[in-house]
Amino acid sequence: MNQKKVIIDCDPGIDDSLALMLALKSKELDVIGITIVCGNAPVEMGFENAKKILKQIDRLDVPIYIGERKPMKRDYIHALDTHGEDGLGESFLPQVDGYEQEMGAVDFFASILKKEKVSVIALGPMTNLAALIKQDPGAFEQIEELVSMGGTFKSYGNCSPVAEYNYWCDPDAAALVYDTMYEKGKRIHMIGLDVTRKIVLTPTILEYICRLDKKMGDFIKKITKFYFDFHWEWEHIVGCVINDPLAVAYFIDRNMCQGFDSFVQIETQGISLGQSVVDSMSFYRKEPNAKVLTEVDPQRFFRFFLSRLLEIETEKLDLLQDM
Ligand code: BDR
Ligand code: CA
């Protein structure tokens, strides 16, 4: 199989962890590295969490690089209220020692992209990518495809009425990435809250996972319990929205989501800080720098997600259609 080389840039994070498992269990992908950015959790904690996840699925062979410790210009605001004090749903999994790389995330990006074209799936604030643009714009240009979980078009925000966390946490980085994509005539795939909000891991689906694979089910239960409680308290949802795995699923299967091409800018100041302003009506007459995904079939996603995580053929997941 012709595998796609990809780097996962993330801030694990509960849903980032599910996305990492999905990516590493998908044969279409050759994950050549994981880069950590400050976001949900501070980078050191994100690094520890990534190792815990890799250990769980026996993939500690994948190198993890530590990235930027704070946003480009603004103070850093983590999201441990959403992800728990250990950033992994207060699962307090045993620490995994070692595995530090000498190279930092930005140097890793620069060195790889000098040699070959690789795609990037960005699941956290885009601070590492913005630092790459500053350090080595030519290397950034070599990114084959860039999929970002972040932003929102018509759905409301999760950090303010209009802003989604990843872009709100480091709006200057997100703005620089979108502006650079525009200058270079390229398109970023924006997997925003319009689509990820529809991806709700419900207690029924989780129970189904447990019935099919107790070890995997118990593990997911352990890391999502806190997330379930958070969603009930703040959004009155029974279940939890798992944003990041959708970006991985879409990267592999482009029919997973539908949307349109548009020019997008990120607001860096004021009450709409971090908002992804989507010029869907082409007021600015500017060439699109993004593909904005607005439609998703959650059934299709969960079939995909479960079949890979549990290593089961999709045809054996018929019960999902009633959940
Ligand atoms: C995004 O922010 C984080 O909480 C999640 O990991 C996801 O990447 C959703 O707004
Ligand atoms: Ca994330």
Side-chain angles (χ1 to χ4, degrees), residues 122 148-152 164 166-167 178 189-193 196 244 276:
S148 156
M149 189 282 126
T152 186
E164 176 282 329
N166 288 338
Y167 294 0
Y178 275 82
H189 299 260
M190 183 181 121
I191 301 279
L193 296 176
T196 66
D244 294 336
S276 41

Side-chain angles (χ1 to χ4, degrees), residues 255-270:
N255 292 321
M256 190 66 71
C257 303
Q258 274 75 48
F260 59 92
D261 291 338
S262 177
F263 175 70
V264 176
Q265 258 180 321
I266 311 301
E267 178 57 83
T268 56
Q269 281 174 37

Side-chain angles (χ1 to χ4, degrees), residues 125-154:
M126 291 198 282
T127 318
N128 287 343
L129 294 172
L132 176 66
I133 294 172
K134 293 263 179 204
Q135 180 177 312
D136 192 339
F140 178 81
E141 257 194 83
Q142 290 304 307
I143 294 177
E144 179 128 55
E145 288 194 283
L146 175 54
V147 174
S148 156
M149 189 282 126
T152 186
F153 171 45
K154 288 202 171 158

Side-chain angles (χ1 to χ4, degrees), residues 78 88 121 185:
H78 59 65
L88 214 45
I121 305 176

